[in-house]
Amino acid sequence: MVDFSQQRAALVKQLITEGIVKSDKVKNALMRVPREEFIPSNYREWAYVDSPLPIGHGQTISAPHMVALMTELLDPEPGDIVLEVGTGSGYQAAVLAEIVAKNAPLKKGRVYTIERIPELAEFARENLRRTKYIDYVIVVVGDGTKGYLDAAPYDKIIVTAAAPSIPQPLIEQLKPGGRIVIPVGDMYYQRLLVVSKRIDGSLNIHKDTWCVFVPLIGEYGWRVQY
Ligand code: SAM
């Protein structure tokens, strides 16, 4: 029998040593969300290897260090309304839900997450149901490059697929004072951007690390599958 909780603790310790996990809130969220529950059974034994893994339909669950880094950069707060573009397995959404909602019962935090592949949205829903995050996460099928107007505006927006540029609807659906974390670049290599919207609506863009994501496909993303 694999002891996943021991492996999870070892990986989180490693991410702290590497300086990727910095805050208690991200550390606690990574410790609480069982990544093995978001991975197809044939890859489950590798749940705590720090690597992306296939989830079907040519897509991946991001590597733990990337989830940790993006969550630190996003800086979600209890009570935040968050939009994630690129649900995939639902794991990143669960990590966010830990911080904004599950551990903040008196605040009305929520995670809206949008996925373009219906089968993956259903896979994520099942994973979130089994792990009891479904009460805090709303999974929507659609083109997330257009955002999700029904629940806008958002305190934070995270995009977990590679965009050619920052989709304008996401900027419009972000609250003043809010933040977007998004990989932007070409189809092979991107830069993680932290986009802060000032109170007057102007943007400050910080370029963080280089990264590699699957493409963001949609009206304000890449227009064709390649
Ligand atoms: N955050 C996910 C997780 O925790 O498993 C990993 C996301 S995976 C790297 C990127 C996902 O973005 C894929 O599932 C892909 O289908 C999805 N995607 C690509 N373009 C999209 C779009 N325009 N709207 C919504 N989802 C999109």
Side-chain angles (χ1 to χ4, degrees), residues 102-174:
K102 193 163 183 192
N103 256 322
L106 298 180
K107 304 194 177 176
K108 286 266 175 247
R110 283 289 173 274
V111 178
Y112 292 83
T113 181
I114 183 159
E115 171 58 55
R116 65 180 279 273
I117 300 174
E119 292 85 351
L120 280 181
E122 195 42 46
F123 174 61
R125 273 191 207 107
E126 279 166 23
N127 298 338
L128 291 161
R129 238 177 254 130
R130 211 174 39 254
T131 51
K132 306 205 169 18
Y133 287 99
I134 198 73
D135 292 347
Y136 316 105
V137 180
I138 298 93
V139 181
V140 178
V141 176
D143 176 4
T145 68
K146 297 194 269 190
Y148 181 57
L149 254 182
D150 290 18
Y154 300 96
D155 296 291
K156 308 279 160 62
I157 299 178
I158 182 170
V159 181
T160 61
S165 59
I166 307 164
Q168 187 60 28
L170 300 187
I171 295 171
E172 286 162 11
Q173 291 173 32
L174 184 68

Side-chain angles (χ1 to χ4, degrees), residues 55 59-62 84-93 114-117 120 142-145 160-161 213-218:
I55 54 172
Q59 307 302 322
T60 53
I61 176 173
S62 303
E84 180 194 27
V85 178
T87 312
S89 67
Y91 175 70
Q92 173 76 74
I114 183 159
E115 171 58 55
R116 65 180 279 273
I117 300 174
L120 280 181
D143 176 4
T145 68
T160 61
F213 276 84
V214 294
L216 181 74
I217 296 166

Side-chain angles (χ1 to χ4, degrees), residues 193-211:
L193 303 186
V194 182
V195 182
S196 306
K197 192 178 199 176
R198 299 189 190 95
I199 300 301
D200 67 4
S202 63
L203 301 180
N204 177 66
I205 301 179
H206 160 74
K207 291 182 181 165
D208 208 89
T209 187
W210 292 93
C211 53

Side-chain angles (χ1 to χ4, degrees), residues 32-52:
R32 288 185 185 123
V33 182
R35 188 172 187 256
E36 69 274 14
E37 296 292 340
F38 293 82
I39 290 170
S41 54
N42 47 332
Y43 293 106
R44 197 157 289 174
E45 62 182 297
W46 291 302
Y48 294 100
V49 175
D50 191 6
S51 164

